[in-house]
Amino acid sequence: MRVLLTGGAGYIGSHTALCLLEAGYDVVALDNLSNASPEALKRVEELTGKKAPLIVGDCTNEKDVTAVFEQYKIDAVIHFAGLKAVGESVAKPLDYYQNNLDATMVLCRVMPRYNCDVLVFSSSATVYGTNQEMPLREDFPTGCTNPYGWTKWISERILTDVAHADPTRSFVLLRYFNPIGAHESGRIGEDPSGIPNNLMPYICQVASGKLQQLGVFGNDYPTRDGTGERDYIHVMDLAEGHLAALKYALENKGVEIFNLGTGVPYSVLDIVHAFEKANDLTIPYRITPRRPGDIATCYADPKRATEMLHWSAKRDLNTMCRDAWNWQKQNPKGYNE
Ligand code: NAD
Ligand code: UD1
């Protein structure tokens, strides 16, 4: 059984590649390396002792996608490829709509030509928009606040319509909450370019001395300690969620949506303190104004995934903080040593 991972050299893709190889699947990655290094998959090979071939190509280009299907018999696709920086999507909406939507549509066109019906898609909790009621369930209303979010929302719509039009298709849409951490070896992890936007990579760079101080974006939210609450999930738990989703898609037709989160909200200060405790470090921080567009609280109801995928997140916050720092410490310059 061979699985094509679009965006397979990226953060979540490389961890999922490792899980799939360890579970006995063959993998092929198609990645244009716009936000990744080939080194990630070399390290996956080193960790698993198995091949993870990388084809450098673009998912928005039908020729590139077709070439992969010509070269390999592909049984299923996990579609990670996409641009993901919220702020950048506001500044460059067309780049985001073109890249993220064309990639989804090109895959939908090419797959049936090679009798490949199974696709698992990387969606995001961002599609829940400004819902107030928590925990978030898959049947809650959706809507977005930025172009990145809309590309996920529209991709979900496209995939749902395609699956309805063709009953041979099996699509699983996964709404990730906040993935953090790294493989316990510290050999693969998140390698953001420039100054990180997201909390955990920022904390790691403060811990390493690369950045001076964490800005905590607001302490006047209606939460336990006034700072924003999120559902952080270890990237290896998330990767294992893809295995469960893939098995489900291989056994069932139609389209299904699942949250991948822990169901437990932690505040920004919870994360800072857990990181300090797990790694015996101090993280200097100061309270700054709220970041525009942020919401107070966001966490999953993970029941549907537990019941239908027989998957749930296992790793605790201490493990997430330990593994994030272990990766940062071993790879202060990411993959560009
Ligand atoms: P990432 O940037 O590390 O991985 C995405 C990969 O896709 C990169 O390797 C990039 O080079 C590649 N890529 C982008 N456009 C491409 C194209 N047109 N053709 C081929 N390759 C292309 O990001 P990630 O954190 O691993 O996220 C994977 C997916 O999950 C993305 O779709 C992202 O939007 C989604 N997601 C991520 C998060 C998160 O917090 N990391 C949360 C929710 C959803
Ligand atoms: C961000 C994206 C979201 C995406 C998700 C996962 C935005 C507005 N949203 O979500 O679309 O799906 O990443 O990749 O970018 N924080 C600080 N200081 C920092 C960084 C963050 O206090 O330097 C706070 C934020 O206000 C938030 C929490 O930490 O309360 C988590 O932030 P972040 O890691 O950026 O994730 P999200 O905002 O949840």
Side-chain angles (χ1 to χ4, degrees), residues 86 124 126 148 178 197-199 202 214-217 228 230 232 268 291 294:
V86 172
S124 168
T126 194
Y148 164 71
N178 288 55
N197 295 309
N198 298 118
L199 181 63
Y202 203 104
L214 172 71
V216 173
F217 298 152
R230 297 289 185 275
Y232 297 92
V268 178
R291 178 171 64 182
D294 274 359

Side-chain angles (χ1 to χ4, degrees), residues 6-14 30-37 57-61 79-85 98-100 103 121-126 148 151-152 174-180 190-191 198 238 242:
T6 72
Y11 173 45
I12 304 169
S14 55
L30 173 64
D31 199 301
N32 65 7
L33 301 180
S34 59
N35 194 37
S37 160
D58 204 298
C59 295
T60 66
N61 181 330
H79 178 31
F80 297 103
L83 299 173
K84 64 164 186 176
Q98 186 178 0
N99 190 71
N100 293 1
F121 175 65
S122 297
S123 188
S124 168
T126 194
Y148 164 71
T151 69
K152 293 298 174 189
L174 298 177
R175 293 179 179 163
Y176 311 156
F177 282 69
N178 288 55
I180 59 172
E190 187 170 14
D191 183 14
N198 298 118
L238 192 70
H242 287 76

Side-chain angles (χ1 to χ4, degrees), residues 165-177:
D166 177 357
T168 65
R169 308 257 197 164
S170 308
F171 292 169
V172 172
L173 317 182
L174 298 177
R175 293 179 179 163
Y176 311 156
F177 282 69

Side-chain angles (χ1 to χ4, degrees), residues 1-5 20-21 23-28 51 72-78 115-118 243 246-247 249-251:
M1 173 79 54
R2 184 177 289 108
V3 186
L4 169 62
L5 308 185
L20 287 167
L21 289 169
Y25 293 90
D26 291 322
V27 306
V28 182
K51 282 266 161 232
Y72 294 96
K73 164 91 182 73
I74 304 290
D75 300 292
V77 177
I78 306 184
N115 296 318
C116 180
D117 306 319
V118 174
L243 241 75
L246 179 64
K247 282 186 194 142
L250 289 165
E251 287 165 8

